[in-house]
Amino acid sequence: MHIHFLDPFRPRLSPVHALDPRVKLVLALAYILTVALTPVGAWPVYFLLLAVILSVGILSALGLGFIQRRALLALPFMLAAVPIIFTNGETALFSFPLGTWTLTGYAEGLARFASVALKSWLSVQAAVVLASSTSFPDLLQAMRAIRIPRLLVAMFGLMWRYLFVLVDEALRLMRARAARSGQGAEAVHRSGGSMAWQARVAGGMAGNLFLRAFERSDRIYMAMVARGYDGEIRSLPLSAIGSGSWLTLAGGLILLILLLLFGFLLWG
Amino acid sequence: MIYAPAQMHIPDGFLSILVSAILWAVTAVVLGIALKRVGQDLGERQVPLMGVLAAAIFAGQMLNFPVAGGTSGHLMGAALATILLGPWAAIVVMTTVVGVQALVFQDGGLLVLGANIFNMGIIGVLVSHFVYRSFLRLSGGKRWGIFAGGFLAAWLSIVVAALAVALQLAVSGRSPANLAIAAMGGIHTLIGIGEGLITVGALAFLYAARRDLLQIDAPAPKGSRMVWVGGLTIAALLAFLSPLASSHPDGLEWVAEQNGFIDTAQSSLYTLIPDYVFPGISNEALATIVAGIVGLLLVFGVALGVAHTRRKKTA
Amino acid sequence: MHHSIEVQNLSFAYPDGHVALREVSLMIAPCEKVALVGPNGAGKSTLILHLNGILLAPTSKAHTTGQGQVTVCGMPVEEKTLGRVRAAVGLVFQNPDDQLFSPTVYDDVAFGPLYQGLPAGEVDARVASALAAVRMEAYARRVSHHLSTGEKKRIAIATVLSMQPEVLVLDEPTAGLDPRARRSFINLLRDLPLTMLVSSHDLAMVRELFPRMVIMDEGRVVADGPTAVLLQDEKLLEAHGLEKP
Amino acid sequence: MHHSIEVQNLSFAYPDGHVALREVSLMIAPCEKVALVGPNGAGKSTLILHLNGILLAPTSKAHTTGQGQVTVCGMPVEEKTLGRVRAAVGLVFQNPDDQLFSPTVYDDVAFGPLYQGLPAGEVDARVASALAAVRMEAYARRVSHHLSTGEKKRIAIATVLSMQPEVLVLDEPTAGLDPRARRSFINLLRDLPLTMLVSSHDLAMVRELFPRMVIMDEGRVVADGPTAVLLQDEKLLEAHGLEKP
Ligand SMILES: Nc1ncnc2c1ncn2[C@@H]1O[C@H](COP(=O)(O)OP(=O)(O)OP(=O)(O)O)[C@@H](O)[C@H]1O
Ligand SMILES: Nc1ncnc2c1ncn2[C@@H]1O[C@H](COP(=O)(O)OP(=O)(O)OP(=O)(O)O)[C@@H](O)[C@H]1O
Ligand SMILES: [Mg+2]
Ligand SMILES: [Mg+2]
């Protein structure tokens, strides 16, 4: 049993995939920052930002459907922002009775909600494209390049490697539990057990998983030591960034800065 | 989706820049201290141990149990990590987990990653450490102390983290304080019970199989008094602040306004620029022109790129 | 009388599109003991997971990635019979560590009966008789984690025996055992009076214990017959990556 | 000329007091291929961990739980020779998942050379030749978790070959492989021109590949001699939980 599907990376032949991962990471972060800084109500800028990310999405050959489906993940959180439509602003837009209350939606609140929702949607698309077009080992290189502490990068690498092993273990644990979740022939007994008991069983499974992870980490440590590991984290030097990638980086950053300026300008 | 822990990962767009930046700064400092401490405490084993345990937390978040109405309970794991590893290593481990969730699975945003690490990694861990250690001390390392402490630590870590999320949303002006705090607090008071029960189940398993891992008689690691005090302060602060904020939402509204004001002030600085750069062109006209040019460039770029990939494929 | 296991024309693909079973048919009569062999990736485990509804044949609406029908002890395996199917078919996986998730041996063996909602006294009796069947009575209060692999394997069997199943299905039961533990485990299997389907790479054990043998490769049943006969057919064995023991 | 491996009177107890090795002595000449067999818990893995200093004989001060002396390729195994010992003895553990801890195959195979402090170009060359030796050249950029068990085992060997060791020590190399993968793995081991010490429960492989065999039980070496002779001695085998293949 394997859970390959957990890995979001989708290998394709596309310029987005081919782009240096360091440049891609920086551009993705810059894009998200631009989105965050773009003022409320600067709709044309949002539209342009959307055009940018959709273009990149098309270029990446991942399929817009795929990207949008993954982007839905952030959707449930939108609920948290819905109330601002009704609590924020002066210009009443619509109102409807709700029992003894009347709920009034304001234009300013709606604008604010829409921009929060848009910001979130645009940002998550950028993150999806980044994760789906860059293999994790490449992302690790990029993290090293932007000076994330080496210890942390090493842990990201190990965690990702063993994620698949341990998630397999977790799935097997759940399978074993399901296989024994039977029901007697006579209908007199209610099956399933109490919720607290079920939670304790799930806890036992978590304990089992942790314990085995502890023991595994010992064996991994021995395997590392056997090959000369001394507590120091070493890695091969990073390769040079090609001139094409530099150009893309410069072009991308300039475009984002322009959009940002444009946003402030329009808004003011 | 097989993997769906408590809804606590804030996506991008839901915090103001100022709040994100402050929480990034706090997180970076605490994480820096934690990384240093961990190197001293665990030595050479730190990398494999924490890396694999981070994977275990992630995998553990998939273990579920049925709750009423087709929903199911899950683990967040901050308390369990703290109990097993001590506060510093737990902070690093939770940072790794939350980081991978954001980077790989888009669970939580990248710009607000600092805030998410702060909520689930730092606050969750500090509060858990404070509760668990206090109970161990109180009970003299007895069974009931471990289990009661574990339960409360897990429950509180969830509730406090949820309140922190609500406060950050309110301060960012993304959600009215009274609603956010009541809703997040209310839901997570229940979700926290699941977390507590699972944590106790895991502790019971480990208590039977490997009592030494629960660090019952282990001397408190260096710097843990600071953590203990930190946990106490955070728990107290949120316990005090949340009801206050939700009964006087205006206060937070005011903060949010100030926050918005800073955003505004910052941007009005830039709005001065264009008039110098492009004298004589009205903003609206400029907007249309620039929009047109950028749009054209984009379409052109896409067409070029698609043609490029086609050529590669057929070659 | 019905067959213990009836698999008809079962095909199955995993969500990633990988086809793991292709029109598999298999009948097992009550009290028969059958071995399931084949190279890695042949689909043995996938077939076994269908027998107690962890993977479902597409009669149920939710799963349309294949076709076919699985019937166990006269019950079609589908969403609404799941509970009873799981009580009738005891599934033991390869790695016992994946199955022992409770603090003590007793808790693990009691899981099935407790889930079924049996009263406490009955649970106790079930646990005692299951442990007796695998000759591990003395281990009830022990912590599973500290047992040897051989002992864990026995406990894993007890965890399903306590549900009093009609059919016992084991996935690679002797993998990872040293010769002594393997021998004692083989003796245990010989003595259990249940219908049995066992997947294994251990052809020596298959020859010793199972009169009938089913060979799978690439998702198909490629041979089904008396073990003594099939094990003579060197060409067949070689074609499917097996070696005469 | 020195022996490749020289273990003299080695005793060892784990911190919990469990005595795992009792006065073990063992000499292995260069290019000899020796099998190490015995029931679970005999102390095989413990002995193996001493050969590259993961567990240390008590000549070093820090470890006083035993006595004896281990010498590898003429170097006594002790704190200050550790680096060279680890380059000389390549240790491959049972579970390849524990051995392949890097994101990609390349990173894993490069790990040893990198920690030997070799320059980048040399590391590259080492990786290429190690992968070629296990016939996995095409796998350098692959991600470890997508590989099959047999492939992982080969890569695990490459991870130590890249350090160009004189001695290869393998712990249960064929465990968990299906017959086909096992066969191809045996062929690989036969072709590697290194001194080899291999612990295994797979006596059929031992008979085929190793002219000499060492039997351990309860921390002692109980027999050491030509495989063909020892495998005839049914009494000996039975006394130590082994079965004639
Ligand atoms: N969850 C999964 N998703 C996708 N493919 C899977 C999954 N589980 C198994 N497979 C694939 O299905 C095929 C059959 O796998 P299965 O585990 O049934 O084989 P098996 O005969 O049990 O092999 P083994 O002897 O290694 O246990 C294999 O090619 C495997 O890679
Ligand atoms: N870290 C440890 N602490 C305490 N005892 C241990 C430890 N590791 C192993 N032992 C014990 O030492 C003894 C020898 O173990 P070892 O792993 O060397 O056996 P083995 O011959 O390799 O067995 P197997 O065939 O199961 O791999 C066993 O009794 C085992 O329980
Ligand atoms: Mg299988
Ligand atoms: Mg061993």
Side-chain angles (χ1 to χ4, degrees), chain A residues 6 8 13 15 32 55 59 73 80-81 116 120 123 127 131 155-156 158 163 166 177 203 218 221 229 262 264-266 268, chain B residues 11-12 17 44-45 47 49-50 56 58 64 84 96 100 104-106 174-175 198 202 267 271 274 283 287 302 305 309:
Chain A
L6 252 191
L13 267 178
I32 295 173
S55 306
L59 268 186
L73 257 176
V116 166
S120 160
S123 311
M155 285 190 41
F156 271 112
L158 262 164
L163 197 70
L166 294 194
R177 178 180 60 177
D218 266 347
Y221 173 70
Y229 173 73
F262 179 42
F264 286 130
L265 169 158
L266 182 95
Chain B
D12 275 321
I17 291 287
E44 295 174 16
R45 279 174 195 266
V47 176
L49 177 62
M50 294 194 302
F58 185 97
N64 60 352
L84 294 177
T96 314
V100 165
V104 181
F105 303 103
Q106 290 81 53
R174 302 301 196 257
S175 201
I198 298 188
S267 51
T271 52
N283 284 349
V302 170
T309 43

Side-chain angles (χ1 to χ4, degrees), chain D residues 1-58:
Chain D
M1 231 200 90
H2 57 72
H3 278 101
S4 276
I5 292 179
E6 247 185 283
V7 178
Q8 276 166 344
N9 266 318
L10 181 64
S11 297
F12 179 81
Y14 278 102
D16 65 356
H18 187 96
V19 179
L21 294 179
R22 299 164 201 266
E23 309 204 342
V24 171
S25 294
L26 182 66
M27 308 280 160
I28 298 180
C31 288
E32 217 179 350
K33 298 197 178 195
V34 181
L36 189 61
V37 303
N40 288 127
K44 304 183 294 296
S45 300
T46 308
L47 175 59
I48 284 175
L49 290 175
H50 277 86
L51 298 182
N52 104 351
I54 290 178
L55 297 175
L56 273 182

Side-chain angles (χ1 to χ4, degrees), chain A residues 1-2, chain C residues 14-16 18 20 38-47 172 201:
Chain A
M1 171 180 20
H2 294 288
Chain C
Y14 279 101
D16 66 356
H18 186 97
N40 287 128
K44 306 182 293 294
S45 300
T46 309
L47 175 59
E172 316 213 358
H201 293 306

Side-chain angles (χ1 to χ4, degrees), chain D residues 63-102:
Chain D
H63 302 77
T64 47
T65 41
Q67 49 180 1
Q69 165 91 39
V70 180
T71 313
V72 168
C73 302
M75 299 173 279
V77 179
E78 54 190 46
E79 215 74 70
K80 64 177 186 295
T81 57
L82 274 191
R84 276 158 54 220
V85 164
R86 284 175 185 166
V89 180
L91 207 55
V92 181
F93 297 91
Q94 176 174 355
N95 187 344
D97 273 325
D98 299 337
Q99 180 106 356
L100 307 181
F101 42 72
S102 310

Side-chain angles (χ1 to χ4, degrees), chain A residues 52-122:
Chain A
V52 169
I53 196 62
L54 287 181
S55 306
V56 174
I58 294 169
L59 268 186
S60 72
L62 289 165
L64 287 183
F66 167 83
I67 297 173
Q68 295 313 328
R69 237 174 305 127
R70 284 197 78 98
L72 284 182
L73 257 176
L75 200 63
F77 215 89
M78 302 264 171
L79 272 183
V82 168
I84 49 176
I85 302 176
F86 307 102
T87 59
N88 222 286
E90 283 108 43
T91 334
L93 208 58
F94 59 89
S95 66
F96 47 90
L98 199 82
T100 55
W101 293 344
T102 341
L103 212 53
T104 314
Y106 298 98
E108 290 85 351
L110 192 63
R112 194 170 224 189
F113 171 77
S115 70
V116 166
L118 258 174
K119 275 173 198 264
S120 160
W121 181 47
L122 292 175

Side-chain angles (χ1 to χ4, degrees), chain B residues 250-263:
Chain B
D250 303 348
L252 270 186
E253 284 316 74
W254 183 80
V255 180
E257 298 284 296
Q258 297 307 301
N259 212 328
F261 172 74
I262 294 169
D263 280 351

